[in-house]
Amino acid sequence: MKKFFFLAAALVAAATMNAQHAAVTYHFDNNESTYSLSGSEDGNAFTPSTYSMDGVEGVAYKFTASGDQKGYLYLAADGDVFFEYKNSSDKDNVVKSGPTYLQTDSKNFVLNVKNLTADDVVYILYGAKGSTAPVLDNAGNENSVIVEGDNFTNTNPNKCDKDGLDADKNYGLAVFAVKAASNGGVKIKETAGGMRVYAVSINEIPELKGEESALENTSAVKAVKALENGQIVIIKNGVRYNVLGAKL
């Protein structure tokens, strides 16, 4: 009986250790309370500042170069989710924020998500900050396996506003995803010239908070997600969309 009890306890412990991360989405905004500079044992090259985007003041961060020291910006709600950045020179307000996004004004920002289990998937909902299309990859991290598919892209040419709408008032945000090959962390790196990050999620497709895109309107009809031929399809009011908001 005692042997059976210990075996059962070991099985429960093993199942707990290998359990998938709970599905969660983190949205970004221009409030200082959303972010934290605490968490790095190696110091932090970021210092808080303020900056006005479209006439609205929000939190910003300056980078001060000092040897090999990096800047670390954590989500206050989850210290396992953070951006890291390194440069050989000072960058004034290299991070800015808007009502629904965080803007990185330089390439080589790396999103880290720690303490994942094998097959956990991390998604980033993003767009361009200007005329240069952001390009994302897995930062050469072997544990970060890029998720391929028509619903996901590693580059997005669209600069979008707080509602995720481009200059033509079309929904223009993109989704990039990586899967954890084993227990541990994953990385997503922007390599072109900066980006606007609207949401980061684990094990669920991110949607823009309060978005007014093709997937949202004033009706109370709920959107339904389905998997068709290996692709995620969103059905609302009888109309089918992919996760980027384009009609099918």
Side-chain angles (χ1 to χ4, degrees), residues 126-127 132-136 152-158 174-176 190 192 244:
Y126 72 103
T132 300
V135 177
L136 306 184
F152 310 112
T153 177
N154 74 330
T155 185
N156 181 8
N158 301 303
V175 176
F176 181 76
E190 198 287 313
L244 304 182

Side-chain angles (χ1 to χ4, degrees), residues 105-119:
D105 267 2
S106 175
K107 65 181 180 180
N108 296 330
F109 271 80
V110 180
L111 170 68
N112 290 260
V113 182
K114 299 293 188 182
N115 293 319
L116 299 174
T117 57
D119 296 328

Side-chain angles (χ1 to χ4, degrees), residues 217-239:
N217 56 39
T218 56
S219 71
V221 178
K222 186 177 180 180
V224 177
K225 293 179 182 177
L227 189 64
E228 298 181 1
N229 298 321
Q231 295 186 24
I232 296 172
V233 176
I234 300 172
I235 305 170
K236 188 165 186 179
N237 291 326
V239 182

Side-chain angles (χ1 to χ4, degrees), residues 39 79 85 92 95 97 117 129 191 195-196 200 213-214 221 233:
Y85 175 72
D92 191 28
V95 181
S97 61
T117 57
K129 72 176 184 65
T191 63
M195 61 180 169
R196 286 183 172 180
V200 168
S213 69
V221 178
V233 176

Side-chain angles (χ1 to χ4, degrees), residues 40 42-46 63-73 82-87 110 112 187:
S40 171
D42 301 322
N44 200 327
F46 283 144
F63 178 83
T64 303
S66 178
D68 292 329
Q69 194 174 69
K70 296 180 180 180
Y72 297 93
L73 184 61
F82 62 94
F83 290 91
E84 65 175 287
Y85 175 72
K86 182 181 177 182
N87 203 298
V110 180
N112 290 260
K187 295 186 177 185

Side-chain angles (χ1 to χ4, degrees), residues 27-160:
H27 293 97
F28 295 83
D29 57 35
N30 54 2
N31 299 309
E32 187 173 1
S33 60
T34 302
Y35 311 101
S36 173
L37 297 180
S38 301
S40 171
E41 297 179 358
D42 301 322
N44 200 327
F46 283 144
T47 53
S49 179
T50 58
Y51 190 88
S52 292
M53 300 279 281
D54 299 324
V56 179
E57 187 175 277
V59 65
Y61 295 91
K62 300 177 180 180
F63 178 83
T64 303
S66 178
D68 292 329
Q69 194 174 69
K70 296 180 180 180
Y72 297 93
L73 184 61
Y74 299 82
L75 277 180
D78 187 346
D80 285 335
V81 181
F82 62 94
F83 290 91
E84 65 175 287
Y85 175 72
K86 182 181 177 182
N87 203 298
S88 59
S89 59
D90 296 352
K91 295 288 184 180
D92 191 28
N93 295 333
V94 70
V95 181
K96 302 180 177 71
S97 61
T100 59
Y101 58 83
L102 186 74
Q103 179 169 307
T104 62
D105 267 2
S106 175
K107 65 181 180 180
N108 296 330
F109 271 80
V110 180
L111 170 68
N112 290 260
V113 182
K114 299 293 188 182
N115 293 319
L116 299 174
T117 57
D119 296 328
D120 279 336
V121 180
V122 173
Y123 304 86
I124 182 169
L125 181 67
Y126 72 103
K129 72 176 184 65
S131 59
T132 300
V135 177
L136 306 184
D137 64 25
N138 64 357
N141 180 255
E142 293 183 356
N143 201 50
S144 308
V145 180
I146 296 175
V147 178
E148 305 286 354
D150 293 340
N151 292 321
F152 310 112
T153 177
N154 74 330
T155 185
N156 181 8
N158 301 303
K159 178 183 179 181
C160 296

